[in-house]
Amino acid sequence: MPLHPPAQAGQRFSEIDTPALVLDLDAFERNLVAMAAYTQAHGVRLRPHAKTHKSPEIALRQIAHGAVGQCCQKVSEAEILVAGGVQDVLVSNEVAGAAKLDRLAQLARSAKISLCVDHLDGVREAAEAAARHDVVLDVLVEIDVGGRRCGVAPGEAAVRIAEAVSRSNTLRFGGLQAYHGTAQHMRSIDERREAIERAGLSARNTVERLAQAGLSCGVVSGAGTGTYEIETGSGIWNEIQAGSYIFMDADYARNRQADGTPFRAFEHALFILTGVMSKPVPDRAIVDAGHKAAAIDSGMPMPFRREGAVYTKPSDEHGVLTGDPIALPHRGEHILLVPGHCDPTVNLHDWYVCVRGMHGPDAHVEALWPVAARGALT
Amino acid sequence: MPLHPPAQAGQRFSEIDTPALVLDLDAFERNLVAMAAYTQAHGVRLRPHAKTHKSPEIALRQIAHGAVGQCCQKVSEAEILVAGGVQDVLVSNEVAGAAKLDRLAQLARSAKISLCVDHLDGVREAAEAAARHDVVLDVLVEIDVGGRRCGVAPGEAAVRIAEAVSRSNTLRFGGLQAYHGTAQHMRSIDERREAIERAGLSARNTVERLAQAGLSCGVVSGAGTGTYEIETGSGIWNEIQAGSYIFMDADYARNRQADGTPFRAFEHALFILTGVMSKPVPDRAIVDAGHKAAAIDSGMPMPFRREGAVYTKPSDEHGVLTGDPIALPHRGEHILLVPGHCDPTVNLHDWYVCVRGMHGPDAHVEALWPVAARGALT
């Protein structure tokens, strides 16, 4: 039995059922243009991360604006992107085991597919899968540039893996994956700059050692919405993997620019529309968006343009708005929340309700886009 | 394009793709029987909460063991339960607005449907929807017994709402919803007992005032897996809404019994099976279950039977296992995690991979059950 979508194209904004994931198309399109213009002006390729949006609809719009392709984290995401028309996908992650690698190799028959490795066993498994399916896979060696997650140590250890890749008949060495995840959310520009400068030294050193070994790094890929200007300016990275810029969540809005003001390169374009189901006392409004509608791993969602109201204490199906009673919505009213973290919030919803003219009198639903790769875990 | 399910019936346990939501059928069935036996022995009705499992397959098994029906939190969950064959559903929550109430009233044509109200406007809206669809809706008045979420104040305020319900031709006053959510996760039995005893005083007082007003409370419904023995022993509640008992998450396992030992009435039956995609250094294994596979609102998932390994620092698609290098799995190995909180974790997955004989040599996939109400938000 399919779920009721929360809206239909053509409806007025006020008719959207709650909770719903709402995309402000006008702000989204401005964000698309802003990042495309920035990367083109600075001579780096843009390969946006599809783990943010999980949607071929959005991927194809990014590509129409000049992006070279997409990144994703999982084979199942790559499958959905290719089925949706994306021709160049990098799985910016390790892929372990024959079952997953067979699926990835099959995909390489209809699109350019790259993946990351950080271990000699991963090189062997990927080479064997590519051979089984008679394809060539592009491979980036992932180095740990400070995030302490996946990635081989920079320098000689990375060179040994790249050499193994280049010796394989079914793999093509593409370059380095050098992404610093934890740097994205450091609050001050100085912290972020220091982290990325250190990452850049590791990447540059590895590029040089690879060159000494006769291996050319076509691609040095990395960066996110929190740091892309630093990687772009470094002369080391030539491919930018930012994803969140299209939506701008509450957590990225807490980052600060050099002058101490909030990070404002992009606009909030993604919201959770939620309704008040109960208002038992004047200083507490209970909304219908809890853990099932909004991820809280990077902080609570933030009431939008509603000074004095604070979202707190979510349970599975409830959120509590407290604060100044004057700021709180009444029973039955709908309000907008800015997600604390877009990527896992999007993963909770089946549909983007795409709204045109959202903050004006003619706000209406222009389209529904499926979150096609929601739940794509494997 | 449908997602690959992570397994097929008949496969060996070792063949399940990762990450996957795995149900240990043997432990699950023992939990089913244990709660059914307890509530029957103590003369209270069991109406398990479907927000835990989101699955008619599981609901019907609970009903086959004597449960009177199901609770859920959303109209869309009720729709899926009724479509799956459940004949008695309580939406243990407020439902605001004509659109949602129309759907609920339509459902009352094919099943017994109850809902909660905590405001006179909610009574009016529900009565109007029932009239539009020519049905009668059963209504519980929700009182706030200490959770400070939804619910009218106990006593006279609740009586006024019950009187409004009883005056309506299309509503039937059923009794009280008296659920204390925050008490479920208080760690010591003394704290939980004190909270529930206070809640019981509020409920009893309201029942008595209703009786003075000529209104009989057929149902006093509430309780959860953390406190059901206290409500059952109170003589006030006659319907138990526990849900998590079938799965037993890591958070409930942190509750303590009277003797200070962990709460052990039920077994861990639900797991996230995850694979190691990278092991860059001996004391760090990176698994493929992050925020998209495991909810962390009630703490991290817990490696199962793997003393010395700790799950930490999840990102969207990665979890970090640290601890004693001897305890850590190798690259490519699969391990089990006990979810920190079952309900929102289940909501991230499309399938229960149901395993028979899970901890034995013949462990195999007996069935795949869809998480039919995953994403049922409205």
Side-chain angles (χ1 to χ4, degrees):
Chain A
M1 178 181 171
L3 294 169
H4 280 269
Q8 293 170 30
Q11 282 184 319
R12 293 191 302 275
F13 181 63
S14 60
E15 294 176 299
I16 301 170
D17 200 2
T18 61
L21 188 69
V22 167
L23 183 62
D24 175 344
L25 283 173
D26 305 285
F28 161 73
E29 290 166 2
R30 288 189 292 270
N31 289 342
L32 265 186
V33 167
M35 183 62 101
Y38 182 89
T39 50
Q40 283 155 28
H42 290 79
V44 292
R45 291 193 293 272
L46 176 62
R47 180 184 289 280
H49 218 305
K51 85 181 181 70
T52 298
H53 56 66
K54 308 170 211 310
S55 158
E57 296 275 1
I58 293 177
L60 295 177
R61 281 166 176 77
Q62 291 174 316
I63 291 165
H65 281 78
V68 297
Q70 294 276 300
C71 318
C72 63
Q73 302 286 66
K74 296 290 178 106
V75 174
S76 51
E77 292 177 323
E79 288 169 334
I80 288 162
L81 290 170
V82 171
V86 178
Q87 282 297 303
D88 182 342
V89 178
L90 162 64
V91 180
S92 57
N93 200 4
E94 279 59 37
V95 180
K100 289 184 205 291
L101 284 162
D102 274 338
R103 285 163 49 204
L104 200 62
Q106 278 170 348
L107 215 52
R109 298 190 163 202
S110 45
K112 179 175 185 294
I113 299 293
S114 318
L115 77 158
C116 296
V117 297
D118 68 357
H119 192 281
L120 291 173
D121 287 348
V123 176
R124 179 182 49 73
E125 287 180 354
E128 289 171 357
R132 279 194 295 277
H133 296 275
D134 198 19
V135 296
V136 173
L137 289 168
D138 284 78
V139 172
L140 303 186
V141 173
E142 179 167 7
I143 56 173
D144 180 359
V145 292
R148 294 183 54 77
R149 202 170 64 180
C150 302
V152 67
E156 282 312 311
V159 172
R160 283 196 296 277
I161 292 177
E163 285 174 336
V165 171
S166 70
R167 280 194 299 270
S168 161
N169 295 325
T170 57
L171 303 179
R172 190 186 298 125
F173 173 65
L176 296 179
Q177 168 76 4
Y179 173 67
H180 196 321
T182 51
Q184 303 307 313
H185 306 275
M186 295 173 175
R187 291 293 170 243
S188 81
I189 183 74
D190 290 343
E191 290 171 291
R192 296 198 296 281
R193 182 168 289 127
E194 188 187 327
I196 298 304
E197 283 175 356
R198 266 194 229 161
L201 291 177
S202 292
R204 189 190 297 278
N205 173 268
T206 308
V207 169
E208 288 170 0
R209 291 192 185 215
L210 284 163
Q212 289 161 13
L215 290 170
S216 163
C217 265
V219 171
V220 179
S221 199
T225 297
T227 64
Y228 70 97
E229 294 166 297
I230 312 170
E231 279 94 341
T232 296
S234 71
I236 300 164
W237 283 268
N238 57 20
E239 192 171 277
I240 299 299
Q241 298 180 353
S244 298
Y245 74 92
I246 49 168
F247 295 152
M248 268 304 286
D249 55 35
D251 189 62
Y252 271 123
R254 286 187 277 267
N255 276 7
R256 289 292 177 268
Q257 306 183 113
D259 62 0
T261 61
F263 177 62
R264 282 199 215 282
F266 306 104
E267 301 172 50
H268 292 306
L270 189 77
F271 301 90
I272 302 150
L273 183 73
T274 186
V276 178
M277 63 169 118
S278 172
K279 195 169 179 189
V281 290
D283 64 352
R284 186 186 346 132
I286 311 298
V287 296
D288 59 10
H291 294 311
K292 265 180 56 187
I296 58 159
D297 58 276
S298 301
M300 294 294 146
M302 193 177 68
F304 183 66
R305 295 186 183 168
R306 201 167 263 274
E307 201 77 26
V310 180
Y311 179 99
T312 174
K313 288 203 296 187
S315 43
D316 296 347
E317 306 280 9
H318 302 79
V320 180
L321 291 183
T322 56
D324 182 352
I326 290 168
L328 295 189
H330 55 72
R331 181 183 171 283
E333 193 174 346
H334 292 181
I335 70 156
L336 293 169
L337 304 172
V338 179
H341 186 186
C342 286
D343 305 21
T345 296
V346 168
N347 191 53
L348 298 169
H349 295 264
D350 287 293
W351 298 97
Y352 290 101
V353 179
C354 303
V355 173
R356 185 65 70 188
M358 196 160 107
H359 305 297
D362 298 322
H364 65 278
V365 179
E366 184 170 294
L368 261 77
W369 293 343
V371 184
R374 181 216 55 75
L377 294 169
T378 61
Chain B
M1 175 180 175
L3 293 170
H4 280 269
Q8 292 170 31
Q11 282 185 320
R12 293 191 302 276
F13 181 63
S14 60
E15 294 176 300
I16 302 170
D17 199 4
T18 60
L21 188 70
V22 167
L23 184 63
D24 174 345
L25 283 174
D26 305 285
F28 161 72
E29 290 166 2
R30 288 190 291 270
N31 290 342
L32 266 185
V33 167
M35 183 62 101
Y38 182 90
T39 51
Q40 284 155 26
H42 290 79
V44 291
R45 289 193 294 273
L46 177 61
R47 181 184 289 279
H49 218 304
K51 84 182 181 69
T52 298
H53 56 68
K54 307 169 212 309
S55 159
E57 296 274 1
I58 293 177
L60 294 177
R61 281 165 175 77
Q62 292 174 316
I63 291 166
H65 282 77
V68 298
Q70 295 276 299
C71 317
C72 64
Q73 301 287 65
K74 296 290 179 106
V75 174
S76 50
E77 291 177 322
E79 288 169 335
I80 288 162
L81 290 169
V82 171
V86 178
Q87 281 298 302
D88 182 343
V89 177
L90 162 63
V91 180
S92 57
N93 200 4
E94 280 58 39
V95 180
K100 290 184 204 290
L101 284 161
D102 276 337
R103 284 162 50 205
L104 200 62
Q106 279 170 347
L107 215 52
R109 298 189 164 203
S110 45
K112 179 174 185 294
I113 300 292
S114 317
L115 77 158
C116 296
V117 297
D118 68 356
H119 192 282
L120 291 172
D121 287 348
V123 177
R124 180 182 48 74
E125 287 179 355
E128 289 171 359
R132 279 194 296 276
H133 296 275
D134 198 20
V135 296
V136 172
L137 290 168
D138 285 77
V139 173
L140 303 186
V141 173
E142 179 167 8
I143 56 173
D144 180 358
V145 291
R148 292 184 56 76
R149 201 169 66 179
C150 300
V152 66
E156 283 312 310
V159 172
R160 283 196 295 277
I161 292 177
E163 285 174 336
V165 172
S166 70
R167 279 195 300 270
S168 161
N169 295 325
T170 56
L171 304 179
R172 191 185 298 124
F173 174 65
L176 296 180
Q177 167 76 6
Y179 174 67
H180 195 321
T182 51
Q184 303 307 311
H185 306 275
M186 295 173 175
R187 290 293 170 243
S188 81
I189 182 74
D190 290 342
E191 290 172 291
R192 297 197 295 282
R193 181 168 290 127
E194 189 188 325
I196 298 304
E197 283 175 355
R198 265 194 231 162
L201 291 176
S202 292
R204 188 189 297 278
N205 173 267
T206 308
V207 169
E208 288 170 358
R209 292 195 184 211
L210 284 163
Q212 289 160 13
L215 291 170
S216 163
C217 265
V219 171
V220 180
S221 199
T225 296
T227 64
Y228 71 96
E229 294 166 298
I230 312 170
E231 280 93 341
T232 296
S234 71
I236 300 163
W237 283 268
N238 57 20
E239 192 172 277
I240 299 298
Q241 299 180 352
S244 299
Y245 74 92
I246 49 169
F247 295 152
M248 268 305 285
D249 55 37
D251 189 62
Y252 271 122
R254 285 188 277 269
N255 276 6
R256 289 293 177 267
Q257 305 182 114
D259 63 359
T261 61
F263 178 61
R264 283 200 216 282
F266 306 103
E267 301 172 49
H268 292 305
L270 190 77
F271 301 90
I272 303 149
L273 183 74
T274 186
V276 178
M277 62 169 122
S278 172
K279 195 169 179 190
V281 290
D283 64 351
R284 185 183 351 130
I286 312 297
V287 295
D288 59 9
H291 295 310
K292 266 178 56 186
I296 59 157
D297 58 277
S298 301
M300 293 295 146
M302 193 176 69
F304 183 67
R305 295 186 183 169
R306 202 167 261 275
E307 201 78 25
V310 181
Y311 179 100
T312 175
K313 287 203 297 187
S315 44
D316 296 346
E317 307 280 8
H318 303 77
V320 180
L321 291 184
T322 56
D324 183 352
I326 291 168
L328 295 190
H330 55 72
R331 181 182 170 285
E333 193 174 345
H334 293 181
I335 70 156
L336 292 170
L337 304 172
V338 179
H341 186 186
C342 285
D343 305 20
T345 296
V346 168
N347 192 53
L348 298 169
H349 295 264
D350 287 294
W351 299 96
Y352 290 101
V353 179
C354 303
V355 173
R356 185 65 69 186
M358 194 159 109
H359 304 298
D362 298 322
H364 65 278
V365 179
E366 183 170 294
L368 261 77
W369 293 343
V371 185
R374 181 216 54 74
L377 294 170
T378 60

